[in-house]
Structures are given as C-alpha cells and as structure tokens.
Amino acid sequence: MANRILVDTGFWYAVFDKRDCHKADAECLIAKYFDKSAYEIVVPFPTMYELLRTRFVKNKEALEEIRQMFQSGRITRLDDDAYRLEALELTLLESKRNISLVDNIIRLMLDDKSVGAKGLITFNVGDFQDVCHKNSIDILF
C-alpha cells in the first residue's frame, strides 16, 4: 500500500481560494504529494460536504479542477459510514473539545489502523495533533 495521506477540508479551501492565507502552503503540498506515485491521497467523504456547498459550486473553474483531480485516479474517497454515529456522539457529548462532526469523523479514521493513514494534510493542527501523535501519523502543512 502506498503512503496514505488523508486530506482535511481546510486544505481544499486554501487550494481554491486565492485569498486564503494558506494558499502558498497548499500549492507546495500539491506539488510535493499529489503528483507522486508514492502517495495515495485519501479524501474523507464528509469533507466534500463541507467543500462542495453553494458558494464553492458557483466557482466553475474550481469545480472543474476538483472534478479533474477526482477523475485522475490519484484521489481515493473514504466512506464515513463506520464512523458517523460515534462521531456524532463525540460531537454532542464532548463539549470541552469543541470539535466539529467532520473533524471527529476524520479523527476516528486516523485512529482506525485499517485505514492505514501515514499522513494528514491540515492547517488545523490542534484538532488532530493528539490522535496523529498516538498513531505515528505525520501532520503535513
């Protein structure tokens, strides 16, 4: 199995929003990981709900670019069925952490050894640092 790298929603915002403060970092990450056969880019499906909302889909250029990325065969979508209910409980009951439902799903995916994540692309390090450290997963930014 190639080195599996999960991608958080904030990365996509940085890729497609010219004003995003992480735009240059996102472009470097694309050059470093997206076009290399040594890496498998894994997109947790819930991040697509966050990204492909009305404001984004009005940007036809960005929509076409992401469509091409997915059709390239370089990106794997990771279904969230196995994580939804536990993530919902964590989101509703873990009031001291204030972590979104999507981020809780990603955290559970990172904690699942069968996913085989070796890296996480995120600009939201604080919400993932503990689970990545516990599982020896590199945070890439």
Side-chain angles (χ1 to χ4, degrees):
M1 176 186 339
N3 293 315
R4 297 189 99 192
I5 299 174
L6 272 66
V7 181
D8 188 21
T9 311
F11 167 76
W12 298 115
Y13 292 148
V15 169
F16 297 111
D17 184 349
K18 294 175 179 87
R19 299 172 308 230
D20 193 286
C21 65
H22 297 290
K23 178 76 173 163
D25 296 325
E27 290 173 353
C28 288
L29 289 164
I30 285 179
K32 187 171 184 179
Y33 298 107
F34 277 64
D35 295 325
K36 311 288 191 226
S37 61
Y39 301 100
E40 179 185 1
I41 304 303
V42 180
V43 176
F45 202 85
T47 64
M48 292 293 95
Y49 292 122
E50 286 185 319
L51 177 65
L52 298 175
R53 57 184 207 260
T54 303
R55 191 176 115 227
F56 182 86
V57 298
K58 289 180 181 177
N59 181 343
K60 297 304 179 192
E61 183 179 311
L63 197 60
E64 177 60 21
E65 193 172 334
I66 199 154
R67 186 188 66 75
Q68 287 176 6
M69 284 179 150
F70 276 100
Q71 287 183 337
S72 73
R74 295 280 311 122
I75 295 177
T76 302
R77 289 177 296 275
L78 182 57
D79 188 46
D80 64 322
D81 279 350
Y83 311 98
R84 286 181 190 167
L85 293 178
E86 185 177 355
L88 180 60
E89 287 181 30
L90 288 169
T91 304
L92 296 174
L93 299 176
E94 284 280 331
S95 60
K96 61 184 175 252
R97 290 290 312 257
N98 296 320
I99 295 176
S100 74
L101 178 60
V102 173
D103 287 353
N104 272 318
I105 289 173
I106 294 170
R107 288 174 56 82
L108 291 169
M109 289 174 171
L110 292 166
D111 213 21
D112 184 347
K113 302 282 189 249
S114 70
V115 170
K118 302 292 185 211
L120 171 68
I121 293 177
T122 186
F123 300 118
N124 185 14
V125 175
D127 284 351
F128 302 103
Q129 195 166 16
D130 62 326
V131 71
C132 285
H133 178 74
K134 176 180 131 185
N135 293 293
S136 300
I137 297 169
D138 294 326
I139 296 179
L140 310 167
F141 58 92

